[in-house]
Amino acid sequence: DAGVTQSPTHLIKTRGQQVTLRCSPKSGHDTVSWYQQALGQGPQFIFQYYEEEERQRGNFPDRFSGHQYPNYSSELNVNALLLGDSALYLCASSLRVQGNGHEQYFGPGTRLTVT
Amino acid sequence: AQSVTQPDIHITVSEGASLELRCNYSYGATPYLFWYVQSPGQGLQLLLKYFSGDTLVQGIKGFEAEFKRSQSSFNLRKPSVHWSDAAEYFCAVARDSGAGSYQLTFGKGTKLSVIP
């Protein structure tokens, strides 16, 4: 049973550029959440996707956007990158349909460095 | 607003010694509580969770945690630490955003170092 997978593992971008990160949820899961973890901090909730729609959003600007596909995989897009966007981006999946939305399983993350 | 506090930024213990990592939460309703572990450069692995019922929950790798509503705490314990337990530990609370949607709020983490 494959767990949550994310790509790429590492990414280096320049200020002002745009980036797309990808996530495939654990088999059988229907909900994907994205978190940003800055160095030395706990993860912070960015947003959550279910049925291809953004359902919840944390305190992040509109430069952060996402998408969910019919196969439940998801993308996180960040526009106009800032140095402060450098972080580990974590994807978590869960099964909302059966009321288990609180039990989230995390992928290994994508390390984004903005120079 | 919900919040999670992990008072200890860094803890060092000797291998074989007991361990307790502290976690306090602020949340209006009955919380769903979690402990995750993160090895350097890795994602988060779920150690254990509390939803309801027995306030002492058992997790993987020999860890346990006790939910104390009166103290708003969910402390993580292990009777005998192994060198491989060195990692960062995060306590989290899940907030019900409605219609089965939850978002996790994490503490800032406690880094555990183990002396051989």
Side-chain angles (χ1 to χ4, degrees):
Chain A
D1 178 21
V4 180
T5 60
Q6 294 186 243
S7 63
T9 305
H10 295 89
L11 206 51
I12 300 175
K13 290 287 189 178
T14 304
R15 276 179 299 175
Q17 286 188 318
Q18 179 264 344
V19 69
T20 297
L21 311 181
R22 295 177 176 81
C23 171
S24 291
K26 181 178 169 64
S27 179
H29 283 186
D30 56 14
T31 301
V32 173
S33 303
W34 287 92
Y35 293 81
Q36 180 196 66
Q37 185 179 19
L39 198 62
Q41 301 295 316
Q44 286 196 304
F45 176 76
I46 302 175
F47 44 53
Q48 183 179 89
Y49 276 82
Y50 172 67
E51 290 187 332
E52 302 179 48
E53 290 187 14
E54 182 183 297
R55 300 292 178 163
Q56 300 293 332
R57 190 178 184 92
N59 188 26
F60 280 81
D62 292 345
R63 297 187 298 109
F64 289 77
S65 63
H67 188 79
Q68 185 180 34
Y69 294 93
N71 67 353
Y72 307 118
S73 67
S74 176
E75 291 180 351
L76 164 64
N77 301 292
V78 187
N79 294 322
L81 284 167
L82 304 174
L83 294 178
D85 295 331
S86 295
L88 181 68
Y89 287 86
L90 296 165
C91 169
S93 73
S94 54
L95 181 57
R96 174 173 168 153
V97 171
Q98 294 185 1
N100 287 333
H102 45 269
E103 193 163 333
Q104 299 184 14
Y105 291 85
F106 284 79
T110 294
R111 173 72 63 186
L112 172 65
T113 302
V114 182
T115 62
Chain B
Q2 65 196 59
S3 65
V4 176
T5 302
Q6 294 181 246
D8 304 305
I9 297 173
H10 191 185
I11 286 181
T12 300
V13 301
S14 298
E15 191 170 17
S18 63
L19 172 70
E20 182 169 27
L21 302 183
R22 297 182 291 165
C23 172
N24 293 97
Y25 67 90
S26 172
Y27 186 58
T30 300
Y32 292 147
L33 294 161
F34 305 84
W35 276 98
Y36 286 88
V37 61
Q38 185 177 39
S39 297
Q42 302 298 312
L44 301 173
Q45 182 182 21
L46 179 64
L47 282 177
L48 48 76
K49 55 187 181 285
Y50 171 78
F51 296 156
S52 64
D54 193 348
T55 57
L56 184 64
V57 293
Q58 303 296 321
I60 62 172
K61 305 185 180 185
F63 285 93
E64 67 178 26
E66 186 171 12
F67 170 60
K68 292 185 177 180
R69 184 187 302 275
S70 61
Q71 298 177 19
S72 297
S73 69
F74 188 56
N75 295 348
L76 181 71
R77 300 194 295 248
K78 187 170 184 177
S80 178
V81 170
H82 188 263
W83 64 266
S84 61
D85 293 325
E88 187 135 26
Y89 292 79
F90 292 94
C91 180
V93 60
R95 178 167 71 92
D96 182 355
S97 304
S101 178
Y102 294 85
Q103 62 186 68
L104 296 177
T105 296
F106 287 85
K108 292 188 176 182
T110 297
K111 183 177 180 180
L112 174 65
S113 297
V114 180
I115 301 172

